[in-house]
Amino acid sequence: MATKIQNPNKEDKCAIRAFNLRKEFEDLIAVDNVSFTINKGEIVGILGPNGAGKTTTIRLLTGIFKLDDQARIEIFEKDMTENPNKYKMNFGIVPEISNAFSDYTVWQNLNFSGGIYGISKEDIEIRAKKLLNQFELIEKRHFKTKTLSKGLKQRLNFCLALLHEPPILILDEPTSGLDPISAKMMRTYILQLKKEGKTILITTHDLREAQTICDRILIMNRGKIIADESPNNLRERFKSTDSIIFKIDGVLSDDLKNKMKKMFKNLKEKNDYLVFSSSNALKDITKLNKFSEENNLKISDLKIEETSLEEVFIHLINKDSRGEGK
Ligand SMILES: Nc1ncnc2c1ncn2[C@@H]1O[C@H](COP(=O)(O)OP(=O)(O)OP(=O)(O)O)[C@@H](O)[C@H]1O
Ligand SMILES: [Mg+2]
């Protein structure tokens, strides 16, 4: 079953174009006319709550689920809708549930997988050694897979996904259940793979992870993509919720507090601090300083807290779930 890898043409900007992906399970629409593009060399994250449709989207994209008539998928500008099998070699998949055989050793799993991809014995040997070194697993090559820790198993899954040298990697929650050190190590591997020129699609629940490694984030909810932007743009769009936090040294009279509340409509007291949200932090801080000077107030501990991606995520999901759209 040695199928040729669709070598990406240097001029092709787009690695994946997916149009109108849709999947129904009985009365549930798991993926609802989802379209997106992924550019060559990008790391794109799909974020969404449990059941949002992330894994189903991946299964449609990689040919595990059959596409319906409206759907279309292009890989490196070539239509693969009609014949997903022909293009599967373009994908290296680290699935949600590993398909490595637990009674096989690391080495046996790599050999078996290489055989399925039609790679010659000599090439399997060369590539497997290289990957096991890259993923710091070489010393475990004769260990049965079931004896490996979760982190080590995940590294084997990466080796299995990369053995046929695919240009696109699809990672379904690759750091889920890993301790912070193993997860960080996995992110370092992922960034290294991007440097090597791989295009990467990753699903994750970890917003910090998405913020750290993704060039673009697709937020999914109830089978739909409700945002498609860079992490910075997403935060930028919700800058109005940046918080200005400060302390007033000494006693603030009720009269001055009321005046302040008139200037900053959503001013609240939080422990020893005063907090208000602002869409233009610089302008509001200048206003606040002027007010404090005029009224002999001393401001201390002033800080701006940027809207976190987590707040943006929760905001978008809640809004969509209330049926209010983007
Ligand atoms: N084989 C199946 N049969 C029936 N329903 C399914 C099947 N696979 C998925 N679903 C349903 O489709 C919806 C989307 O599931 P999916 O696994 O794609 O979500 P997800 O975003 O990957 O969630 P998670 O973050 O929990 O992995 C869910 O409601 C799920 O229960
Ligand atoms: Mg999933």
Side-chain angles (χ1 to χ4, degrees), residues 88-119:
K88 272 188 186 167
M89 288 287 277
N90 286 290
F91 298 124
I93 305 168
V94 175
E96 205 170 32
I97 300 159
S98 169
N99 42 28
F101 293 108
S102 52
D103 275 322
Y104 279 18
T105 65
V106 165
W107 192 253
Q108 283 168 335
N109 262 308
L110 283 159
N111 264 281
F112 180 78
S113 184
I116 287 184
Y117 281 111
I119 308 167

Side-chain angles (χ1 to χ4, degrees), residues 180-317:
I181 294 168
S182 303
K184 194 169 177 208
M185 200 167 189
M186 208 50 79
R187 287 194 283 275
T188 310
Y189 290 135
I190 295 169
L191 288 171
Q192 181 57 37
L193 292 165
K194 176 188 157 100
K195 270 197 199 143
E196 289 170 19
K198 306 276 185 205
T199 301
I200 300 167
L201 179 62
I202 172 174
T203 73
T204 176
H205 289 128
D206 187 332
L207 289 140
R208 285 240 312 270
E209 174 166 286
Q211 196 164 336
T212 320
I213 64 171
C214 294
D215 301 301
R216 204 145 50 81
I217 293 179
L218 311 178
I219 296 185
M220 227 181 152
N221 192 36
R222 301 187 304 169
K224 283 189 157 65
I225 289 176
I226 57 168
D228 174 355
E229 289 185 57
S230 70
N232 282 347
N233 278 0
L234 268 177
R235 273 199 312 274
E236 200 65 29
R237 245 194 331 133
F238 294 89
K239 241 183 171 336
S240 58
T241 47
D242 276 356
S243 296
I244 314 272
I245 303 165
F246 59 98
K247 255 185 188 170
I248 301 274
D249 291 347
V251 185
L252 180 67
S253 70
D254 284 346
D255 180 43
L256 284 178
K257 203 183 283 174
N258 286 334
K259 275 187 186 161
M260 251 185 182
K261 279 185 177 165
K262 272 189 190 144
M263 285 173 80
F264 308 110
K265 295 274 181 288
N266 46 33
L267 185 85
K268 287 188 189 76
E269 285 169 76
K270 220 177 183 180
N271 305 324
D272 289 344
Y273 288 85
L274 289 164
V275 184
F276 65 91
S277 56
S278 162
S279 56
N280 189 334
L282 201 64
K283 194 170 147 215
D284 282 338
I285 288 172
T286 313
K287 225 161 102 181
L288 180 65
N289 278 333
K290 192 163 174 263
F291 179 81
S292 65
E293 268 171 36
E294 284 168 2
N295 294 284
N296 291 321
L297 297 171
K298 192 166 177 295
I299 287 178
S300 63
D301 260 3
L302 178 88
K303 55 189 177 214
I304 307 169
E305 225 163 59
E306 276 195 357
T307 313
S308 70
L309 201 55
E310 190 171 359
E311 284 160 320
V312 173
F313 177 77
I314 292 167
H315 173 87
L316 281 170
I317 299 289

Side-chain angles (χ1 to χ4, degrees), residues 3-228:
T3 350
K4 259 193 102 182
I5 294 182
Q6 188 66 36
N7 268 331
N9 182 320
K10 279 212 156 50
E11 276 83 58
D12 295 343
K13 199 173 152 268
C14 221
I16 299 174
R17 270 202 193 95
F19 301 96
N20 297 330
L21 303 187
R22 187 181 159 85
K23 180 76 186 167
E24 276 185 45
F25 295 109
E26 289 166 15
D27 56 352
L28 172 89
I29 305 173
V31 174
D32 191 0
N33 282 314
V34 159
S35 301
F36 58 89
T37 59
I38 299 179
N39 295 319
K40 262 171 61 181
E42 262 189 329
I43 302 184
V44 173
I46 307 185
L47 255 96
N50 293 126
K54 304 178 296 292
T55 299
T56 309
T57 301
I58 284 179
R59 290 184 174 153
L60 286 162
L61 184 69
T62 54
I64 293 168
F65 287 144
K66 213 169 155 280
L67 300 178
D68 67 14
D69 290 347
Q70 289 81 41
R72 196 167 89 243
I73 292 173
E74 291 171 14
I75 304 295
F76 300 117
E77 317 287 334
K78 298 268 189 320
D79 196 330
M80 68 167 269
T81 320
E82 294 304 318
N83 193 356
N85 279 335
K86 202 172 155 197
Y87 292 92
K88 272 188 186 167
M89 288 287 277
N90 286 290
F91 298 124
I93 305 168
V94 175
E96 205 170 32
I97 300 159
S98 169
N99 42 28
F101 293 108
S102 52
D103 275 322
Y104 279 18
T105 65
V106 165
W107 192 253
Q108 283 168 335
N109 262 308
L110 283 159
N111 264 281
F112 180 78
S113 184
I116 287 184
Y117 281 111
I119 308 167
S120 72
K121 281 227 167 314
E122 300 74 53
D123 278 350
I124 293 176
E125 175 118 14
I126 296 165
R127 291 183 197 180
K129 264 194 190 143
K130 193 172 156 235
L131 285 167
L132 289 174
N133 276 315
Q134 183 179 353
F135 285 88
E136 296 158 271
L137 208 56
I138 193 81
E139 274 149 34
K140 301 278 182 190
R141 66 188 179 282
H142 299 308
F143 281 58
K144 281 197 175 177
T145 302
K146 66 181 172 195
T147 68
L148 302 180
S149 69
K150 205 164 179 176
L152 293 181
K153 255 184 219 153
Q154 193 61 309
R155 289 196 232 163
L156 169 62
N157 292 328
F158 269 73
C159 295
L160 291 170
L162 288 160
L163 195 65
H164 60 291
E165 302 184 334
I168 301 171
L169 272 179
I170 314 268
L171 315 173
D172 200 354
E173 294 188 35
T175 57
S176 163
L178 301 188
D179 69 66
I181 294 168
S182 303
K184 194 169 177 208
M185 200 167 189
M186 208 50 79
R187 287 194 283 275
T188 310
Y189 290 135
I190 295 169
L191 288 171
Q192 181 57 37
L193 292 165
K194 176 188 157 100
K195 270 197 199 143
E196 289 170 19
K198 306 276 185 205
T199 301
I200 300 167
L201 179 62
I202 172 174
T203 73
T204 176
H205 289 128
D206 187 332
L207 289 140
R208 285 240 312 270
E209 174 166 286
Q211 196 164 336
T212 320
I213 64 171
C214 294
D215 301 301
R216 204 145 50 81
I217 293 179
L218 311 178
I219 296 185
M220 227 181 152
N221 192 36
R222 301 187 304 169
K224 283 189 157 65
I225 289 176
I226 57 168
D228 174 355

